[in-house]
Amino acid sequence: MTKYIFVTGGVVSSLGKGITAASLGVLLKRRGYKVSIIKMDPYINVDAGAMSPFQHGEVFVTWDGAETDLDLGHYERFIDETIKGENSCTTGKVYSAVIQRERAGGYDGATVQVIPHITNEIQDRIEHVGENNDIVIAEIGGTVGDIEGLPFLEAIRQFASRVGRSNILYCHVTLVPYIAASGELKTKPTQHSVNELRRIGIQPDVIVCRSQFTVGPELREKIGLFCSVPADSVFEAVDSDSIYRIPMVLHSQKFDHLVLKKLGLPTKGAPDMKDWKEFLHKYDTRKGELTVALVGKYTEIKDAYLSVNEAVSHAGIANGVKVNIFPVEAEDLETGDVSEILGRADAILVPGGFGQRGVEGKIAAAKYARENGVPYLGLCLGMQVAVIEFARDVLGFADANSLEMDERTTHPVIHLMEEQKNVAGIGGTSRLGTYPCDIKSGTKAEKIYGTNRIEERHRHRFEFNNEYIKEFEAAGMTVAGVCPMGGQVEIMENDNHPWMVGVQFHPEFLSRPVRPHPLFKDFIASALDLKKKKEAKKA
């Protein structure tokens, strides 16, 4: 029988429910259980694909092409299991499915209501993820008390009747704030949050207390007493310098052991966290620093490039160096002094993005990297702007693409995918999900990957115009990777540069703390090597 763990949050949002869920997931997986995670998002959007990064952070693309909440990225990085579209459940998806079924006569003329039809649809989706898994962890987005989340909370309350209360564990993540004026941690917000949860009909089995400072035994006793939870089921998650410490922090409190015990499952000994501990040791013993400029369009929002930042961090740790990422707003490079802004960067990374805003600034970053021999990694749009810059300044195509990458220009080196033409509505038909790529022998990409066939995830509407392949390669920019399914250019690399690579896909989605992505790892290694050589010359 599949076991289900429901993670809710209280007091405030952004407490770390996703990190708690992911941390528990990796601990249970390392004990030998088959674990999957589902994110229940109360927003009415069908998915995160059309949501602004300024409001919602990055869009994480799953293996099968679903555009999802960034928490699914945490799940993949921690548990190291492939997440699919079915692992994301939104109010939009639920209501769309129910309405379509009603229009097709699927409810035999019944009055369709939140209870039982909406809540049943939510439960069906949870149970579907549970097929062929030992344990499913479901995170409920938002905060207890939000009106949008009530159907999800009601659904997980009802779910106990469907699968049996002994097969369910409710975990509540809450804030224990520190009041500086009194010098005390306060438990009252947690009490109120749990009371709200209990009013809905859910009694938490365990409570995880997020706090700036240690939540001592006395406070945990107090929380347990007022919330009807045993004191040994109240855990602390103190602020940490790295989210990757949280699994070990929770394990040290026997969190995973107690969860299994409450679910009636064998503990199967301690989780095998050897490689995780080695990763944390590398994190703690890093020497030296490296500065990477991240030239983006949404840099004022920390979570807009979350997976990119994590991938760079993984690569830095693998190379034994601390990487300092400093965000550069692409529009600033259109009006400011590019050399002054990017001059302190040891490497430049240009991530993806949509729309014309900031494109010329990204092109300026590619130009600076190419002319000054600064290691450059372009992701999706980052590859495309490097292509446009090369076409303009090396091939002499002064009119290569407008800001909109309009293919009506004389030299449309980047053009709209055929499937995108004449498509109306949000989402269109972007190239989404996993596609294969054949890598050309003798290229830098082959050396980096160590193979001639890879699979990477995509999310784009524009692509390289294959009519220009010969001209680019003759001038020194090699097409190093091509999709065998349609001939789309996937990897470009500058032969006359120490390290300048652009990829049409999003490798950041495949980076793991214990297994950094080879592209990012080699990118950082190259930048580190060049920095050491420059320092040696100065000495």
Side-chain angles (χ1 to χ4, degrees):
M1 180 69 185
T2 304
K3 305 290 184 176
Y4 297 87
I5 300 168
F6 295 108
V7 181
T8 57
V11 185
V12 296
S13 59
S14 302
L15 269 181
K17 297 188 303 297
I19 299 299
T20 301
S23 297
L24 179 57
V26 69
L27 290 171
L28 296 178
K29 179 189 175 182
R30 297 301 183 92
R31 284 180 176 270
Y33 289 100
K34 190 172 182 182
V35 180
S36 188
I37 302 190
I38 181 171
K39 176 69 183 292
M40 322 291 284
D41 273 308
Y43 53 70
I44 300 175
N45 307 65
V46 172
D47 59 35
M51 297 174 73
S52 168
F54 289 113
Q55 287 192 17
H56 200 69
E58 78 167 8
V59 174
F60 184 83
V61 179
T62 62
W63 176 87
D64 56 351
E67 297 173 293
T68 71
D69 184 85
L70 55 82
D71 273 319
L72 273 75
H74 287 312
Y75 302 162
E76 281 212 359
R77 283 187 286 273
F78 276 67
I79 303 177
D80 200 9
E81 291 286 344
T82 299
I83 297 292
K84 298 182 180 179
E86 65 187 25
N87 293 78
S88 174
C89 176
T90 68
T91 293
K93 284 183 179 180
V94 170
Y95 273 80
S96 294
V98 169
I99 291 170
Q100 288 177 18
R101 190 175 300 124
E102 185 273 335
R103 292 289 81 189
Y107 295 109
D108 298 324
T111 301
V112 180
Q113 298 176 292
V114 173
I115 301 172
H117 303 100
I118 296 299
T119 52
N120 281 347
E121 176 68 22
I122 294 170
Q123 292 178 76
D124 290 344
R125 289 170 179 262
I126 296 171
E127 200 164 21
H128 175 68
V129 174
E131 295 174 3
N132 303 315
N133 283 297
D134 300 320
I135 301 171
V136 171
I137 303 172
E139 176 195 349
I140 315 301
T143 306
V144 171
D146 294 345
I147 191 170
E148 297 93 343
L150 289 176
F152 289 96
L153 294 173
E154 173 61 20
I156 66 173
R157 184 196 69 79
Q158 295 176 13
F159 201 69
S161 299
R162 180 182 289 210
V163 302
R165 183 64 175 87
S166 62
N167 295 312
I168 286 179
L169 181 137
Y170 296 111
C171 172
H172 192 56
V173 182
T174 182
L175 177 69
V176 179
Y178 175 75
I179 306 301
S182 62
E184 294 178 306
L185 289 171
K186 293 296 184 180
T187 66
K188 189 63 71 176
T190 294
Q191 296 174 40
H192 283 305
S193 178
V194 172
N195 283 339
E196 181 67 18
L197 195 62
R198 293 166 71 182
R199 187 183 66 80
I200 296 168
I202 297 173
Q203 169 61 48
D205 298 295
V206 296
I207 296 175
V208 176
C209 300
R210 177 72 185 274
S211 180
Q212 291 177 276
F213 302 99
T214 297
V215 182
E218 290 185 5
L219 286 180
R220 280 182 278 181
E221 285 276 0
K222 183 178 180 181
I223 290 170
L225 179 64
F226 279 94
C227 299
S228 300
V229 174
D232 65 356
S233 297
V234 180
F235 300 89
E236 64 174 10
V238 179
D239 292 353
S240 176
D241 63 334
S242 171
I243 59 174
Y244 300 111
R245 292 198 196 278
I246 304 303
M248 303 311 302
V249 168
L250 293 175
H251 175 64
S252 68
Q253 300 173 65
K254 299 184 178 180
F255 180 59
D256 47 320
H257 180 90
L258 183 133
V259 165
L260 290 173
K261 182 180 177 181
K262 284 183 176 288
L263 288 172
L265 292 172
T267 57
K268 295 187 175 183
D272 182 6
M273 301 293 285
K274 182 180 178 181
D275 58 348
W276 203 275
K277 292 176 181 178
E278 289 174 353
F279 166 79
L280 291 175
H281 176 70
K282 290 179 180 178
Y283 176 89
D284 291 329
T285 56
R286 293 171 295 170
K287 295 180 180 179
E289 297 186 4
L290 196 70
T291 301
V292 174
L294 190 149
V295 182
K297 299 167 65 170
Y298 323 107
T299 54
E300 62 190 81
I301 305 300
K302 181 180 178 181
D303 286 342
Y305 301 106
L306 181 60
S307 290
V308 173
N309 288 333
E310 291 302 309
V312 171
S313 175
H314 301 162
I317 293 167
N319 280 287
V321 64
K322 179 182 179 182
V323 179
N324 298 311
I325 300 175
F326 79 93
V328 176
E329 178 57 48
E331 287 181 291
D332 291 345
L333 297 178
E334 297 176 1
T335 56
D337 186 325
V338 176
S339 297
E340 182 178 344
I341 296 172
L342 297 178
R344 65 188 180 97
D346 298 309
I348 297 171
L349 194 156
V350 179
F354 288 89
Q356 71 180 49
R357 185 180 64 82
V359 168
E360 288 295 332
K362 290 192 173 191
I363 292 172
K367 177 181 175 68
Y368 177 85
R370 182 181 59 80
E371 292 181 342
N372 292 278
V374 179
Y376 176 96
L377 175 58
L379 312 176
C380 197
L381 177 59
M383 183 198 89
Q384 295 167 2
V385 296
V387 165
I388 294 172
E389 190 281 323
F390 192 89
R392 290 177 181 178
D393 283 23
V394 178
L395 295 178
F397 298 165
D399 60 345
N401 288 90
S402 67
L403 287 175
E404 299 87 356
M405 299 185 185
D406 195 332
E407 63 178 330
R408 290 172 295 182
T409 58
T410 307
H411 294 97
V413 293
I414 300 295
H415 65 172
L416 191 64
M417 292 166 49
E418 193 65 34
E419 303 94 305
Q420 279 287 301
K421 296 176 182 177
N422 303 317
V423 172
I426 293 176
T429 53
S430 295
R431 192 164 181 244
L432 290 164
T434 304
Y435 288 87
C437 170
D438 287 338
I439 298 177
K440 185 184 296 184
S441 296
T443 59
K444 186 184 295 292
E446 182 193 38
K447 182 180 179 181
I448 291 171
Y449 278 98
T451 182
N452 294 106
R453 168 62 70 90
I454 60 171
E455 289 188 343
E456 293 279 3
R457 297 182 194 179
H458 298 68
R459 183 182 183 236
H460 64 98
R461 298 190 180 111
F462 291 87
E463 60 188 6
F464 181 82
N465 188 341
N466 287 12
E467 293 180 11
Y468 294 96
I469 289 179
K470 290 184 179 179
E471 289 172 270
F472 270 78
E473 294 200 321
M477 184 173 274
T478 297
V479 174
V482 174
C483 178
M485 297 170 63
Q488 297 92 345
V489 171
E490 298 279 3
I491 306 174
M492 304 283 286
E493 54 187 54
N494 193 319
D495 302 332
N496 302 312
H497 190 280
W499 206 102
M500 191 168 194
V501 178
V503 296
Q504 185 57 74
F505 43 82
H506 289 269
E508 65 269 24
F509 295 142
L510 296 184
S511 186
R512 307 287 180 261
V514 297
R515 195 177 65 257
H517 193 285
L519 261 179
F520 284 91
K521 187 176 179 180
D522 201 74
F523 170 59
I524 295 301
S526 174
L528 186 60
D529 184 57
L530 284 173
K531 182 180 181 180
K532 289 179 179 178
K533 288 179 180 178
K534 289 179 181 178
E535 290 175 346
K537 284 184 179 180
K538 289 181 181 180

